[in-house]
Amino acid sequence: MGSLKLPPSTTVLKWLGFVSAVWVQAISGNNYTFSNYSDSLKSLMNLTQLQLNNLSVAKDVGKAFGLLAGIACDRFPTWVILLIGSLEGLLGYGAQWLVVSQRISPLPYWQMCIFLCLGGNSTTWMNTAVLVTCIRNFRKNRGPVSGILKGYVGLSTAIFTDLCTALFSSDPSSFLLMLVFVPFAVCLFAMFFLREIPPPTTAADTQQESNYFSVFNALAVVVAVYLLCFDFIKNSGRLFSQIFSIGLLILLGSPLIIPIYTFFKSWHSNRAGSDLEARIEEPLLKEEAVAAPVKEEAEEIAEVEQRAPVIGEEHTIFEAVRTIDFWVLFVSFLCGVGTGLAVMNNMGQIGLALGYADVSVFVSLTSIWGFFGRILSGTLSEHFLKKVGTPRPLWNAASQILMTVGYVLMAMAMPGSLYVGSIIVGICYGVRLSVTVPTASELFGLKYYGLIYNILILNLPIGSFLFSGLLAGFLYDMEATPTEGGGNTCIGGHCYRIVFVVMALACVIGFVLDIWLACRTKHLYSKLKANKKSKKGNNNNNS
């Protein structure tokens, strides 16, 4: 019968679902915004730095319960996962807003830990719903999909921070109010459009996907540059801030041009094409488009079930965690994201220690440059995989070395080093998150990907506890001077110097592990490169 195409209406729905996924990711990075209101919590609750850091750890411990989202995503439709995440965020950030806005008295410390944990866990449901669904919908473009979606997560901190700066003069209470209602509203919208749809079966459709992802990349870069420009414009007036906010909302809505374009393209082709042939073949195409990938995947799984799977085949969660490759990926991931998260959680105190009264610019810089790291690494890693079979872990190795340089610069505490360091950490943290997502799916398959992904994400609470709660908290308090009311403060480059040195050493360990994993998986990526080229050639011959 030749190459198969998905019905036009299905194609439009798939792209509309991807746009809604982009919007969910653009508001689901609220976990990285703790520095924007942490100082208010510290003063209102009279906390030491160790106590404050443990609050941030509680926020990140919420990600440990992402295992529930991983299990649920294989049993429930996408909209259920999004609904759970949105309700958790409403409750978790709602309680924090009540405290910071002083509408209620500060809650007991243990209760605040629970509410921060709820807020942190909410994002795991959102991210799991989005990543698992989109990776399965666009499985032949996993790198760009991961880069774009993770890129918007990176931008979300800057989006929230800059909008709050523009509209509410960086008021912590107003900032938290945005975290309460904006993610809830966006998730409700996405529930109607984001769902699993059969992937394309023709080379032409796959290439068209790649072209559309290039447009998404370009639009995302425009958003990032727009945010970056605002960060370096000081003392902007109220009118300018309002114009900026309107412009940002328009740019965030611009990805809708893709589903709109596909709708009019399919409508035009339907009018000009053969309606009779479409009516005869469409039911068959629907059935075969759904059945072909499922049948092929079922045959592969049946074959694997007869023996222990090797890297690159479908793994159950128990088969995956019994491999050396999984734990090499796990520990190297810990070295990269754990240290990066410690910087993000402590950015407020790091900036104050180095004499900066307003640290929002560093929070925003880390977010925006994290976006560039995510989106470029996703696209470049896919490009070099297809061209020369470059193992994705090599990109993680490169990010670990660059992150080591960033920590050394921040340990030196020279003028401007925090600007450079926050940019470097943002880029490398973004690379680490973006590249690890498709790497895990390529090593262990897509069938149980939701659960495997959330086990890897356990590195966020573990890394937060080790590097933020223990390392940064204890060492800061050792250098700090007690203040009235039970808190403490530290001013000077010495406050975090040893912290940065230890984290630089951790990144060196991560670099060694990533190089080892790249060597162990070199044959797999050579095979993936060959398969992509052979399938492209076969589809071209059949079309």
Side-chain angles (χ1 to χ4, degrees), residues 4-216:
L4 300 175
K5 286 181 174 293
L6 290 174
S9 58
T10 304
T11 302
V12 174
L13 180 61
K14 180 169 71 171
W15 286 109
L16 192 57
F18 187 74
V19 171
S20 67
V22 164
W23 290 344
V24 170
Q25 295 296 80
I27 52 82
S28 65
N30 40 26
N31 244 23
Y32 302 117
T33 63
F34 184 69
S35 292
N36 283 341
Y37 59 92
S38 61
D39 198 52
S40 295
L41 281 177
K42 185 177 182 180
S43 60
L44 282 170
M45 298 179 67
N46 293 321
L47 303 176
T48 66
Q49 187 61 33
L50 180 59
Q51 290 173 320
L52 182 68
N53 282 12
N54 284 333
L55 272 185
S56 73
V57 171
K59 161 183 69 71
D60 296 321
V61 163
K63 291 185 173 66
F65 297 99
L67 292 175
L68 299 176
I71 295 171
C73 76
D74 292 326
R75 292 168 171 78
F76 299 102
T78 304
W79 70 267
V80 173
I81 310 300
L82 286 171
L83 179 62
I84 294 172
S86 63
L87 291 175
E88 270 198 305
L90 194 68
L91 180 61
Y93 288 103
Q96 295 176 63
W97 170 71
L98 290 173
V99 171
V100 172
S101 65
Q102 300 186 47
R103 281 168 169 75
I104 62 173
S105 300
L107 297 172
Y109 187 81
W110 68 271
Q111 291 183 17
M112 287 300 295
C113 287
I114 291 175
F115 285 115
L116 267 86
C117 184
L118 281 174
N121 184 245
S122 68
T123 61
T124 66
W125 292 85
M126 299 177 196
N127 292 339
T128 299
V130 164
L131 284 170
V132 173
T133 303
C134 291
I135 288 287
R136 288 173 177 169
N137 286 353
F138 304 96
R139 60 186 66 196
K140 294 184 180 179
N141 282 285
R142 301 180 196 187
V145 167
S146 173
I148 293 168
L149 294 178
K150 285 296 184 181
Y152 273 98
V153 173
L155 283 182
S156 64
T157 304
I159 291 169
F160 278 125
T161 301
D162 287 355
L163 278 177
C164 186
T165 300
L167 299 176
F168 309 113
S169 301
S170 300
D171 175 54
S173 173
S174 300
F175 183 83
L176 274 168
L177 192 60
M178 291 174 63
L179 297 186
V180 173
F181 290 110
V182 174
F184 180 76
V186 173
C187 284
L188 288 183
F189 174 83
M191 285 165 53
F192 291 99
F193 300 103
L194 185 59
R195 64 194 66 177
E196 285 193 32
I197 293 174
T201 57
T202 69
D205 285 342
T206 302
Q207 182 57 48
Q208 187 177 64
E209 279 186 2
S210 300
N211 295 337
Y212 288 161
F213 287 133
S214 297
V215 176
F216 277 104

Side-chain angles (χ1 to χ4, degrees), residues 347-384:
M347 187 60 80
Q349 281 63 49
I350 293 171
L352 293 173
L354 294 179
Y356 296 97
D358 183 10
V359 298
S360 63
V361 65
F362 301 111
V363 176
S364 189
L365 281 175
T366 304
S367 171
I368 293 170
W369 287 98
F371 156 79
F372 284 115
R374 296 170 198 233
I375 203 163
L376 289 175
S377 61
T379 301
L380 290 175
S381 66
E382 188 75 20
H383 172 78
F384 283 99

Side-chain angles (χ1 to χ4, degrees), residues 299-316 319 322 527:
E299 290 174 351
E300 292 176 358
I301 294 172
E303 180 184 347
V304 168
E305 287 176 348
Q306 303 301 317
R307 55 178 173 79
V310 298
I311 290 300
E313 298 177 338
E314 295 287 350
H315 286 63
T316 65
E319 290 166 342
R322 286 202 296 262
K527 182 180 177 181

Side-chain angles (χ1 to χ4, degrees), residues 194-420:
L194 185 59
R195 64 194 66 177
E196 285 193 32
I197 293 174
T201 57
T202 69
D205 285 342
T206 302
Q207 182 57 48
Q208 187 177 64
E209 279 186 2
S210 300
N211 295 337
Y212 288 161
F213 287 133
S214 297
V215 176
F216 277 104
N217 279 333
L219 293 174
V221 169
V222 172
V223 174
V225 172
Y226 186 78
L227 291 166
L228 193 61
C229 291
F230 180 78
D231 285 337
F232 286 99
I233 297 176
K234 301 295 183 181
N235 302 319
S236 57
R238 182 168 181 80
L239 178 61
F240 176 85
S241 297
Q242 290 175 343
I243 293 173
F244 160 80
S245 302
I246 294 171
L248 179 57
L249 293 176
I250 292 172
L251 287 176
L252 290 175
S254 61
L256 278 171
I257 64 174
I258 296 297
I260 291 173
Y261 172 78
T262 57
F263 171 77
F264 282 107
K265 181 181 177 182
S266 62
W267 178 73
H268 177 74
S269 62
N270 282 345
R271 289 190 61 186
S274 172
D275 292 336
L276 177 60
E277 181 181 351
R279 283 196 299 270
I280 293 174
E281 291 193 2
E282 184 171 311
L284 294 175
L285 295 181
K286 283 184 179 179
E287 182 179 346
E288 293 187 31
V290 174
V294 174
K295 181 180 179 182
E296 180 182 348
E297 186 173 308
E299 290 174 351
E300 292 176 358
I301 294 172
E303 180 184 347
V304 168
E305 287 176 348
Q306 303 301 317
R307 55 178 173 79
V310 298
I311 290 300
E313 298 177 338
E314 295 287 350
H315 286 63
T316 65
I317 186 60
F318 297 107
E319 290 166 342
V321 298
R322 286 202 296 262
T323 65
I324 294 176
D325 304 273
F326 180 88
W327 292 108
V328 172
L329 181 64
F330 186 92
V331 177
S332 69
F333 193 43
L334 173 64
C335 295
V337 299
T339 58
L341 193 57
V343 172
M344 295 177 190
N345 286 340
N346 288 272
M347 187 60 80
Q349 281 63 49
I350 293 171
L352 293 173
L354 294 179
Y356 296 97
D358 183 10
V359 298
S360 63
V361 65
F362 301 111
V363 176
S364 189
L365 281 175
T366 304
S367 171
I368 293 170
W369 287 98
F371 156 79
F372 284 115
R374 296 170 198 233
I375 203 163
L376 289 175
S377 61
T379 301
L380 290 175
S381 66
E382 188 75 20
H383 172 78
F384 283 99
L385 191 162
K386 291 178 179 178
K387 292 294 183 182
V388 294
T390 303
R392 288 196 208 267
L394 279 180
W395 297 92
N396 285 334
S399 73
Q400 296 278 33
I401 284 297
L402 186 58
M403 190 175 270
T404 302
V405 174
Y407 291 144
V408 171
L409 285 175
M410 287 193 283
M412 296 170 68
M414 297 184 299
S417 63
L418 188 55
Y419 283 96
V420 178

